[in-house]
Amino acid sequence: MRIGELASRAGVSVRSLRYYEEQGLITSTRSAGGQRTYTEDEVERVRFIQRLYAAGLSSRTVLELLPCVDSPSEQNADEAFERMVRERDRISRHIDELCQARDALDRLIDANRAHRASLTPH
Amino acid sequence: MRIGELASRAGVSVRSLRYYEEQGLITSTRSAGGQRTYTEDEVERVRFIQRLYAAGLSSRTVLELLPCVDSPSEQNADEAFERMVRERDRISRHIDELCQARDALDRLIDANRAHRASLTPH
DNA sequence: CTAAGACCTGACACTGACGTCAGATGCAAG
DNA sequence: CTTGCATCTGACGTCAGTGTCAGGTCTTAG
């Protein structure tokens, strides 16, 4: 499959895919004419990367994590493993922050709703 | 209180406070010499703003929300109210995303842990 | 063969929340 | 008064991921 199809199937832009490759997150083979060619597997890989991006991991961090994804048996996966656990914790903390922010908003929303109700009591 | 004290008490940089003021998120009175002066209340306000920032709201969005915070009775709070509800939902969706990413990491972590255990069985 | 559309590389633009620096001024202590 | 730290304004730098444009090439349908 060529880059356009991968882009639409994984839900990212063509530009992003080229950027991911530049960062070493994905690889491609090239056709005779020099165009990138991908296998089915790349779709899931890109989705996975997107998920980590959405969780606030940088491309560099994702890159450091990939050894764990690709082959859990690598010796150098030690660092990656530690990294993965740390990122997991960071995400947990971030979730807590978001919940706090949401709670704060909920309180505001309730306060405003109450005020509105008192204005139009019928 | 001057800007340095507010900064340390609210846990942000002096630069950030000037930026918030520039964006209209906080206000200050000025001393005779032109230095910013703040009341106790600003500490909480800055912490609140920080919380929304941490939740991914932009300064512009925070600005639109502030009418609800300052005076729930404003007529123009209608828009702000809608906005608040939308942001609340966005945060909820973001939390879901983060949980998914965390789950994905957890699966990876477990897979790696299992692999390690199988390498050093004793 | 040809036209159209997908793709290529390379480069610059942009956004947002700051960091950081320069050069000037305010303010409190000795 | 002076020394030194806090503060002032204004401006430019940063970072990361991506948009976008230019000018050229590949691929495929007709």
Side-chain angles (χ1 to χ4, degrees):
Chain A
M1 127 186 48
R2 290 193 295 169
I3 198 169
E5 188 179 345
L6 177 58
S8 71
R9 287 182 53 189
V12 303
S13 72
V14 167
R15 177 70 177 86
S16 293
L17 291 179
R18 288 201 269 252
Y19 178 74
Y20 296 168
E21 180 172 328
E22 198 181 336
Q23 301 301 309
L25 303 182
I26 57 177
T27 55
S28 63
T29 54
R30 296 301 183 108
S31 75
Q35 300 198 345
R36 291 173 178 83
T37 308
Y38 300 97
T39 64
E40 287 292 320
D41 297 349
E42 302 298 318
V43 179
E44 255 323 293
R45 189 183 179 92
V46 171
R47 289 217 182 102
F48 177 74
I49 291 170
Q50 274 293 108
R51 186 158 292 171
L52 295 186
Y53 266 122
L57 277 68
S58 70
S59 66
R60 212 173 135 270
T61 305
V62 175
L63 186 59
E64 292 175 28
L65 256 50
L66 287 179
C68 279
V69 182
D70 296 331
S71 54
S73 57
E74 289 296 324
Q75 314 98 316
N76 67 356
D78 261 19
E79 268 185 72
F81 184 78
E82 288 304 320
R83 189 63 186 253
M84 204 152 55
V85 174
R86 283 208 309 276
E87 290 302 325
R88 198 212 96 99
D89 292 346
R90 199 189 53 74
I91 292 173
S92 284
R93 284 196 304 275
H94 194 184
I95 290 174
D96 286 347
E97 281 177 14
L98 287 180
C99 286
Q100 282 181 31
R102 186 173 59 179
D103 289 349
L105 278 184
D106 277 342
R107 283 191 295 274
L108 271 182
I109 287 172
D110 282 348
N112 275 263
R113 223 192 286 277
H115 188 80
R116 278 145 186 279
S118 75
L119 286 182
T120 61
H122 54 85
Chain B
M1 125 187 48
R2 289 191 299 170
I3 198 170
E5 187 180 345
L6 177 57
S8 71
R9 286 183 53 188
V12 302
S13 71
V14 167
R15 177 68 176 89
S16 294
L17 291 180
R18 288 199 271 252
Y19 178 73
Y20 296 168
E21 181 171 328
E22 194 180 295
Q23 302 301 308
L25 303 182
I26 57 177
T27 54
S28 63
T29 53
R30 297 302 184 108
S31 73
Q35 302 198 344
R36 291 173 177 84
T37 309
Y38 301 95
T39 64
E40 288 292 319
D41 297 348
E42 301 298 317
V43 179
E44 255 324 292
R45 188 184 180 95
V46 170
R47 289 216 183 103
F48 178 74
I49 291 171
Q50 272 293 109
R51 187 158 291 173
L52 295 186
Y53 267 120
L57 277 68
S58 69
S59 65
R60 211 172 137 272
T61 305
V62 175
L63 185 59
E64 291 175 28
L65 256 52
L66 286 180
C68 280
V69 182
D70 296 332
S71 53
S73 56
E74 288 297 326
Q75 313 98 317
N76 67 357
D78 261 20
E79 267 185 73
F81 184 78
E82 288 306 319
R83 189 63 185 254
M84 204 154 54
V85 173
R86 283 208 310 276
E87 289 302 326
R88 199 213 96 99
D89 292 346
R90 198 190 53 74
I91 292 174
S92 284
R93 285 196 303 275
H94 195 185
I95 290 174
D96 287 346
E97 280 178 16
L98 286 181
C99 286
Q100 283 181 30
R102 187 173 58 180
D103 289 348
L105 277 183
D106 277 342
R107 284 191 295 274
L108 272 183
I109 289 172
D110 282 349
N112 275 264
R113 223 192 286 277
H115 188 81
R116 278 143 187 281
S118 75
L119 286 182
T120 61
H122 52 84

